[in-house]
Amino acid sequence: DPLVTRTYVEERLKLKVVEVPAGKRIVAGAGTELILRAGSATVVDSQSGGLCDVTDGVDLRKGTRAPGNHLLIAPRDDGRGLLAENQVIVLVRGDYRIE
């Protein structure tokens, strides 16, 4: 069994503050957590479903306005995420990319 350092674990648990420019997408990896803190964004889903809004217990589908300060989770690495309508700030825990 490989050993994992404390620093590695702390980095994986930390929420990162990510700025997403208007018109760009933040695409989440499997299990990635997103919290929209500022700005307006809509949900990007996949054929398998949308983002899980843990706060309200619902599945958010394409084009739905992302609610602020709600915990959103991407269950799979299949292109789900948020499309920024204007510059947004998102707290992120997990893998992501900006497109």
Side-chain angles (χ1 to χ4, degrees):
D1 293 326
L3 293 177
V4 178
T5 65
R6 179 179 173 187
T7 304
Y8 174 81
V9 172
E10 288 173 349
E11 284 298 314
R12 299 298 295 171
L13 295 177
K14 189 186 309 183
L15 286 165
K16 297 177 190 170
V17 178
V18 178
E19 294 185 21
V20 183
K24 295 285 189 177
R25 295 187 311 152
I26 181 167
V27 180
T32 295
E33 301 173 30
L34 307 167
I35 301 172
L36 180 64
R37 290 290 295 144
S40 297
T42 56
V43 172
V44 176
D45 67 1
S46 74
Q47 291 183 349
S48 299
L51 291 177
C52 179
D53 180 345
V54 178
T55 304
D56 278 347
V58 296
D59 189 50
L60 302 178
R61 298 305 304 243
K62 180 180 179 178
T64 303
R65 182 160 298 225
N69 299 312
H70 281 217
L71 177 59
L72 309 176
I73 299 177
R76 295 184 180 172
D77 185 5
D78 59 1
R80 302 177 211 209
L82 299 174
L83 172 63
E85 294 178 350
N86 48 40
Q87 183 169 340
V88 299
I89 297 174
V90 183
L91 295 177
V92 181
R93 182 179 4 244
D95 297 326
Y96 71 93
R97 65 185 184 276
I98 306 294
E99 297 180 342

Short mmCIF file of all heavy atoms in Angstrom, two decimals, residues 32-83:
data_model
loop_
_atom_site.label_atom_id
_atom_site.label_comp_id
_atom_site.label_asym_id
_atom_site.label_seq_id
_atom_site.Cartn_x
_atom_site.Cartn_y
_atom_site.Cartn_z
N THR A 32 -16.31 15.99 -8.15
CA THR A 32 -15.90 17.36 -7.84
C THR A 32 -17.07 18.16 -7.29
O THR A 32 -18.19 18.06 -7.76
CB THR A 32 -15.32 18.05 -9.09
OG1 THR A 32 -14.11 17.37 -9.46
CG2 THR A 32 -15.00 19.51 -8.85
N GLU A 33 -16.77 18.96 -6.27
CA GLU A 33 -17.76 19.81 -5.61
C GLU A 33 -17.59 21.25 -6.08
O GLU A 33 -16.47 21.74 -6.19
CB GLU A 33 -17.58 19.75 -4.09
CG GLU A 33 -17.73 18.35 -3.54
CD GLU A 33 -17.39 18.28 -2.07
OE1 GLU A 33 -17.58 19.28 -1.35
OE2 GLU A 33 -16.93 17.21 -1.63
N LEU A 34 -18.70 21.91 -6.37
CA LEU A 34 -18.71 23.30 -6.83
C LEU A 34 -19.67 24.11 -5.98
O LEU A 34 -20.77 23.65 -5.68
CB LEU A 34 -19.17 23.39 -8.29
CG LEU A 34 -18.48 22.51 -9.33
CD1 LEU A 34 -19.27 22.49 -10.62
CD2 LEU A 34 -17.08 23.04 -9.58
N ILE A 35 -19.27 25.31 -5.61
CA ILE A 35 -20.16 26.25 -4.93
C ILE A 35 -20.01 27.60 -5.64
O ILE A 35 -18.94 28.19 -5.62
CB ILE A 35 -19.81 26.41 -3.43
CG1 ILE A 35 -19.90 25.06 -2.71
CG2 ILE A 35 -20.74 27.43 -2.78
CD1 ILE A 35 -19.39 25.09 -1.28
N LEU A 36 -21.08 28.06 -6.28
CA LEU A 36 -21.07 29.35 -6.95
C LEU A 36 -21.16 30.45 -5.90
O LEU A 36 -22.13 30.52 -5.15
CB LEU A 36 -22.25 29.45 -7.92
CG LEU A 36 -22.38 30.76 -8.69
CD1 LEU A 36 -21.18 30.96 -9.62
CD2 LEU A 36 -23.68 30.78 -9.47
N ARG A 37 -20.13 31.29 -5.83
CA ARG A 37 -20.08 32.33 -4.80
C ARG A 37 -20.42 33.72 -5.34
O ARG A 37 -20.92 34.55 -4.61
CB ARG A 37 -18.68 32.37 -4.17
CG ARG A 37 -18.38 31.17 -3.32
CD ARG A 37 -19.19 31.15 -2.04
NE ARG A 37 -18.78 32.29 -1.22
CZ ARG A 37 -19.58 32.99 -0.44
NH1 ARG A 37 -20.86 32.69 -0.36
NH2 ARG A 37 -19.13 34.00 0.26
N ALA A 38 -20.12 33.99 -6.60
CA ALA A 38 -20.42 35.31 -7.18
C ALA A 38 -20.63 35.17 -8.67
O ALA A 38 -20.03 34.33 -9.32
CB ALA A 38 -19.27 36.27 -6.89
N GLY A 39 -21.50 36.02 -9.21
CA GLY A 39 -21.79 36.01 -10.63
C GLY A 39 -22.94 35.08 -10.98
O GLY A 39 -23.57 34.50 -10.10
N SER A 40 -23.20 34.98 -12.29
CA SER A 40 -24.30 34.15 -12.79
C SER A 40 -23.76 33.08 -13.72
O SER A 40 -22.93 33.36 -14.59
CB SER A 40 -25.31 35.02 -13.56
OG SER A 40 -25.88 35.97 -12.72
N ALA A 41 -24.27 31.86 -13.55
CA ALA A 41 -23.84 30.75 -14.39
C ALA A 41 -25.02 29.81 -14.62
O ALA A 41 -25.96 29.77 -13.81
CB ALA A 41 -22.70 29.99 -13.72
N THR A 42 -24.96 29.08 -15.73
CA THR A 42 -25.96 28.06 -16.01
C THR A 42 -25.29 26.69 -16.00
O THR A 42 -24.08 26.57 -16.22
CB THR A 42 -26.66 28.30 -17.35
OG1 THR A 42 -25.69 28.37 -18.39
CG2 THR A 42 -27.48 29.58 -17.33
N VAL A 43 -26.10 25.68 -15.79
CA VAL A 43 -25.61 24.32 -15.70
C VAL A 43 -25.32 23.75 -17.08
O VAL A 43 -26.06 23.97 -18.03
CB VAL A 43 -26.66 23.43 -14.97
CG1 VAL A 43 -26.28 21.95 -15.03
CG2 VAL A 43 -26.82 23.90 -13.54
N VAL A 44 -24.21 23.02 -17.17
CA VAL A 44 -23.86 22.23 -18.35
C VAL A 44 -24.01 20.78 -17.91
O VAL A 44 -23.37 20.35 -16.95
CB VAL A 44 -22.41 22.51 -18.80
CG1 VAL A 44 -22.04 21.62 -19.96
CG2 VAL A 44 -22.22 23.98 -19.14
N ASP A 45 -24.88 20.03 -18.59
CA ASP A 45 -25.10 18.63 -18.21
C ASP A 45 -24.52 17.69 -19.27
O ASP A 45 -23.81 18.12 -20.18
CB ASP A 45 -26.58 18.37 -17.95
CG ASP A 45 -27.45 18.47 -19.19
OD1 ASP A 45 -26.92 18.74 -20.30
OD2 ASP A 45 -28.67 18.29 -19.08
N SER A 46 -24.82 16.42 -19.12
CA SER A 46 -24.41 15.42 -20.11
C SER A 46 -25.63 14.56 -20.41
O SER A 46 -26.69 14.72 -19.80
CB SER A 46 -23.28 14.56 -19.55
OG SER A 46 -23.78 13.65 -18.59
N GLN A 47 -25.49 13.60 -21.32
CA GLN A 47 -26.59 12.70 -21.62
C GLN A 47 -26.97 11.85 -20.41
O GLN A 47 -28.10 11.37 -20.31
CB GLN A 47 -26.24 11.80 -22.80
CG GLN A 47 -26.16 12.55 -24.11
CD GLN A 47 -25.87 11.62 -25.27
OE1 GLN A 47 -25.54 10.46 -25.09
NE2 GLN A 47 -25.99 12.14 -26.48
N SER A 48 -26.03 11.70 -19.47
CA SER A 48 -26.28 10.88 -18.28
C SER A 48 -26.97 11.63 -17.16
O SER A 48 -27.39 11.03 -16.17
CB SER A 48 -24.97 10.30 -17.77
OG SER A 48 -24.38 9.48 -18.74
N GLY A 49 -27.06 12.95 -17.26
CA GLY A 49 -27.71 13.73 -16.21
C GLY A 49 -27.02 15.05 -15.97
O GLY A 49 -26.13 15.45 -16.70
N GLY A 50 -27.46 15.71 -14.91
CA GLY A 50 -26.94 17.04 -14.61
C GLY A 50 -26.06 17.05 -13.38
O GLY A 50 -25.49 16.04 -12.99
N LEU A 51 -25.98 18.23 -12.78
CA LEU A 51 -25.25 18.39 -11.54
C LEU A 51 -26.19 18.10 -10.37
O LEU A 51 -27.35 18.51 -10.39
CB LEU A 51 -24.72 19.83 -11.40
CG LEU A 51 -23.62 20.25 -12.36
CD1 LEU A 51 -23.27 21.71 -12.13
CD2 LEU A 51 -22.39 19.38 -12.18
N CYS A 52 -25.69 17.44 -9.38
CA CYS A 52 -26.47 17.14 -8.19
C CYS A 52 -26.42 18.35 -7.26
O CYS A 52 -25.35 18.74 -6.82
CB CYS A 52 -25.89 15.91 -7.51
SG CYS A 52 -26.75 15.47 -6.01
N ASP A 53 -27.57 18.97 -7.02
CA ASP A 53 -27.67 20.07 -6.06
C ASP A 53 -27.96 19.43 -4.70
O ASP A 53 -29.09 19.09 -4.38
CB ASP A 53 -28.78 21.04 -6.45
CG ASP A 53 -28.94 22.21 -5.51
OD1 ASP A 53 -28.40 22.17 -4.38
OD2 ASP A 53 -29.61 23.18 -5.89
N VAL A 54 -26.91 19.24 -3.92
CA VAL A 54 -27.04 18.56 -2.62
C VAL A 54 -27.86 19.41 -1.65
O VAL A 54 -28.58 18.88 -0.82
CB VAL A 54 -25.64 18.26 -2.04
CG1 VAL A 54 -25.73 17.60 -0.68
CG2 VAL A 54 -24.85 17.38 -3.01
N THR A 55 -27.77 20.72 -1.77
CA THR A 55 -28.49 21.62 -0.87
C THR A 55 -30.00 21.43 -0.97
O THR A 55 -30.70 21.36 0.04
CB THR A 55 -28.11 23.08 -1.15
OG1 THR A 55 -26.68 23.21 -1.05
CG2 THR A 55 -28.76 24.03 -0.17
N ASP A 56 -30.51 21.34 -2.21
CA ASP A 56 -31.95 21.18 -2.42
C ASP A 56 -32.36 19.74 -2.73
O ASP A 56 -33.55 19.44 -2.81
CB ASP A 56 -32.45 22.09 -3.55
CG ASP A 56 -32.69 23.52 -3.10
OD1 ASP A 56 -32.73 23.76 -1.87
OD2 ASP A 56 -32.86 24.39 -3.98
N GLY A 57 -31.39 18.87 -2.96
CA GLY A 57 -31.72 17.48 -3.26
C GLY A 57 -32.34 17.28 -4.63
O GLY A 57 -33.24 16.46 -4.78
N VAL A 58 -31.86 18.03 -5.64
CA VAL A 58 -32.40 17.91 -7.00
C VAL A 58 -31.27 17.78 -8.01
O VAL A 58 -30.12 18.12 -7.74
CB VAL A 58 -33.29 19.13 -7.36
CG1 VAL A 58 -34.51 19.18 -6.46
CG2 VAL A 58 -32.52 20.42 -7.30
N ASP A 59 -31.63 17.31 -9.20
CA ASP A 59 -30.70 17.21 -10.32
C ASP A 59 -30.90 18.45 -11.18
O ASP A 59 -32.02 18.72 -11.62
CB ASP A 59 -30.98 15.94 -11.12
CG ASP A 59 -29.93 15.65 -12.17
OD1 ASP A 59 -28.74 15.69 -11.83
OD2 ASP A 59 -30.30 15.39 -13.33
N LEU A 60 -29.85 19.22 -11.41
CA LEU A 60 -29.94 20.44 -12.23
C LEU A 60 -29.52 20.11 -13.64
O LEU A 60 -28.43 19.60 -13.87
CB LEU A 60 -29.05 21.54 -11.65
CG LEU A 60 -29.34 21.96 -10.21
CD1 LEU A 60 -28.36 23.03 -9.76
CD2 LEU A 60 -30.77 22.46 -10.08
N ARG A 61 -30.37 20.42 -14.61
CA ARG A 61 -30.11 20.08 -16.02
C ARG A 61 -29.66 21.31 -16.81
O ARG A 61 -29.70 22.44 -16.33
CB ARG A 61 -31.39 19.50 -16.65
CG ARG A 61 -31.89 18.20 -16.03
CD ARG A 61 -30.85 17.08 -15.99
NE ARG A 61 -30.30 16.75 -17.27
CZ ARG A 61 -30.43 15.59 -17.87
NH1 ARG A 61 -31.11 14.62 -17.29
NH2 ARG A 61 -29.88 15.37 -19.04
N LYS A 62 -29.27 21.05 -18.04
CA LYS A 62 -28.72 22.07 -18.94
C LYS A 62 -29.59 23.33 -18.99
O LYS A 62 -30.81 23.25 -19.11
CB LYS A 62 -28.60 21.49 -20.35
CG LYS A 62 -28.05 22.47 -21.37
CD LYS A 62 -27.96 21.85 -22.73
CE LYS A 62 -27.42 22.85 -23.73
NZ LYS A 62 -27.27 22.27 -25.05
N GLY A 63 -28.91 24.47 -18.89
CA GLY A 63 -29.59 25.75 -19.00
C GLY A 63 -30.20 26.27 -17.72
O GLY A 63 -30.61 27.41 -17.64
N THR A 64 -30.28 25.42 -16.69
CA THR A 64 -30.81 25.86 -15.40
C THR A 64 -29.83 26.84 -14.77
O THR A 64 -28.62 26.61 -14.80
CB THR A 64 -30.99 24.65 -14.44
OG1 THR A 64 -31.83 23.69 -15.05
CG2 THR A 64 -31.56 25.09 -13.10
N ARG A 65 -30.35 27.92 -14.22
CA ARG A 65 -29.47 28.86 -13.53
C ARG A 65 -28.93 28.20 -12.27
O ARG A 65 -29.68 27.66 -11.47
CB ARG A 65 -30.21 30.13 -13.16
CG ARG A 65 -29.28 31.13 -12.48
CD ARG A 65 -29.80 32.50 -12.55
NE ARG A 65 -29.89 32.89 -13.95
CZ ARG A 65 -29.50 34.06 -14.41
NH1 ARG A 65 -29.00 34.93 -13.60
NH2 ARG A 65 -29.62 34.36 -15.67
N ALA A 66 -27.62 28.24 -12.11
CA ALA A 66 -26.98 27.64 -10.94
C ALA A 66 -27.28 28.50 -9.71
O ALA A 66 -27.05 29.71 -9.73
CB ALA A 66 -25.48 27.54 -11.15
N PRO A 67 -27.79 27.90 -8.64
CA PRO A 67 -28.09 28.66 -7.44
C PRO A 67 -26.81 29.02 -6.68
O PRO A 67 -25.89 28.19 -6.58
CB PRO A 67 -28.97 27.72 -6.63
CG PRO A 67 -28.60 26.35 -7.10
CD PRO A 67 -28.18 26.49 -8.53
N GLY A 68 -26.76 30.24 -6.17
CA GLY A 68 -25.61 30.66 -5.39
C GLY A 68 -25.56 29.97 -4.04
O GLY A 68 -26.60 29.67 -3.44
N ASN A 69 -24.37 29.72 -3.57
CA ASN A 69 -24.12 29.15 -2.25
C ASN A 69 -24.74 27.78 -2.02
O ASN A 69 -24.99 27.39 -0.88
CB ASN A 69 -24.57 30.13 -1.15
CG ASN A 69 -23.81 31.42 -1.24
OD1 ASN A 69 -22.59 31.44 -1.35
ND2 ASN A 69 -24.53 32.53 -1.22
N HIS A 70 -24.97 27.02 -3.09
CA HIS A 70 -25.45 25.65 -2.99
C HIS A 70 -24.29 24.71 -3.31
O HIS A 70 -23.48 25.00 -4.18
CB HIS A 70 -26.58 25.37 -3.98
CG HIS A 70 -27.90 25.89 -3.55
ND1 HIS A 70 -29.07 25.20 -3.80
CD2 HIS A 70 -28.27 27.00 -2.89
CE1 HIS A 70 -30.09 25.88 -3.32
NE2 HIS A 70 -29.63 26.98 -2.76
N LEU A 71 -24.24 23.57 -2.63
CA LEU A 71 -23.23 22.56 -2.92
C LEU A 71 -23.69 21.74 -4.12
O LEU A 71 -24.74 21.09 -4.07
CB LEU A 71 -23.01 21.66 -1.71
CG LEU A 71 -22.03 20.51 -1.91
CD1 LEU A 71 -20.65 21.03 -2.30
CD2 LEU A 71 -21.93 19.67 -0.64
N LEU A 72 -22.91 21.81 -5.20
CA LEU A 72 -23.20 21.07 -6.43
C LEU A 72 -22.10 20.03 -6.63
O LEU A 72 -20.92 20.32 -6.41
CB LEU A 72 -23.23 22.02 -7.63
CG LEU A 72 -24.10 23.27 -7.50
CD1 LEU A 72 -23.94 24.15 -8.72
CD2 LEU A 72 -25.55 22.89 -7.27
N ILE A 73 -22.49 18.83 -7.05
CA ILE A 73 -21.52 17.76 -7.27
C ILE A 73 -21.71 17.18 -8.66
O ILE A 73 -22.83 16.90 -9.10
CB ILE A 73 -21.67 16.63 -6.23
CG1 ILE A 73 -21.42 17.19 -4.82
CG2 ILE A 73 -20.71 15.48 -6.52
CD1 ILE A 73 -21.62 16.18 -3.71
N ALA A 74 -20.58 17.00 -9.36
CA ALA A 74 -20.58 16.31 -10.66
C ALA A 74 -20.30 14.83 -10.39
O ALA A 74 -19.22 14.48 -9.93
CB ALA A 74 -19.51 16.88 -11.58
N PRO A 75 -21.27 13.94 -10.62
CA PRO A 75 -21.08 12.53 -10.29
C PRO A 75 -20.12 11.78 -11.22
O PRO A 75 -19.57 10.77 -10.83
CB PRO A 75 -22.48 11.95 -10.35
CG PRO A 75 -23.24 12.86 -11.23
CD PRO A 75 -22.62 14.21 -11.08
N ARG A 76 -19.93 12.30 -12.43
CA ARG A 76 -19.06 11.62 -13.41
C ARG A 76 -18.19 12.66 -14.13
O ARG A 76 -18.53 13.82 -14.20
CB ARG A 76 -19.87 10.87 -14.45
CG ARG A 76 -20.66 9.74 -13.89
CD ARG A 76 -21.36 9.01 -15.00
NE ARG A 76 -22.13 7.90 -14.43
CZ ARG A 76 -22.96 7.18 -15.13
NH1 ARG A 76 -23.15 7.41 -16.41
NH2 ARG A 76 -23.62 6.19 -14.56
N ASP A 77 -17.11 12.18 -14.71
CA ASP A 77 -16.23 13.02 -15.51
C ASP A 77 -16.70 12.92 -16.96
O ASP A 77 -16.12 12.20 -17.77
CB ASP A 77 -14.78 12.54 -15.37
CG ASP A 77 -13.80 13.46 -16.07
OD1 ASP A 77 -14.21 14.51 -16.59
OD2 ASP A 77 -12.61 13.12 -16.12
N ASP A 78 -17.80 13.61 -17.27
CA ASP A 78 -18.38 13.51 -18.61
C ASP A 78 -18.81 14.86 -19.17
O ASP A 78 -19.76 14.96 -19.94
CB ASP A 78 -19.54 12.51 -18.61
CG ASP A 78 -20.66 12.89 -17.64
OD1 ASP A 78 -20.56 13.94 -16.97
OD2 ASP A 78 -21.64 12.12 -17.55
N GLY A 79 -18.13 15.93 -18.74
CA GLY A 79 -18.39 17.24 -19.32
C GLY A 79 -19.32 18.13 -18.53
O GLY A 79 -19.62 19.25 -18.95
N ARG A 80 -19.80 17.68 -17.39
CA ARG A 80 -20.72 18.50 -16.59
C ARG A 80 -19.98 19.64 -15.91
O ARG A 80 -18.80 19.53 -15.58
CB ARG A 80 -21.39 17.66 -15.51
CG ARG A 80 -22.16 16.49 -16.08
CD ARG A 80 -22.75 15.66 -14.98
NE ARG A 80 -22.84 14.27 -15.40
CZ ARG A 80 -23.74 13.42 -14.97
NH1 ARG A 80 -24.63 13.79 -14.08
NH2 ARG A 80 -23.75 12.18 -15.39
N GLY A 81 -20.70 20.75 -15.70
CA GLY A 81 -20.09 21.89 -15.05
C GLY A 81 -20.98 23.11 -15.11
O GLY A 81 -22.21 23.00 -15.12
N LEU A 82 -20.34 24.27 -15.16
CA LEU A 82 -21.05 25.54 -15.19
C LEU A 82 -20.53 26.41 -16.32
O LEU A 82 -19.33 26.45 -16.59
CB LEU A 82 -20.85 26.29 -13.86
CG LEU A 82 -21.35 25.61 -12.59
CD1 LEU A 82 -20.93 26.41 -11.37
CD2 LEU A 82 -22.85 25.42 -12.64
N LEU A 83 -21.46 27.12 -16.98
CA LEU A 83 -21.12 28.09 -18.02
C LEU A 83 -21.32 29.48 -17.42
O LEU A 83 -22.42 29.83 -16.98
CB LEU A 83 -22.03 27.91 -19.24
CG LEU A 83 -21.93 28.96 -20.35
CD1 LEU A 83 -20.52 28.96 -20.96
CD2 LEU A 83 -22.98 28.72 -21.39
#
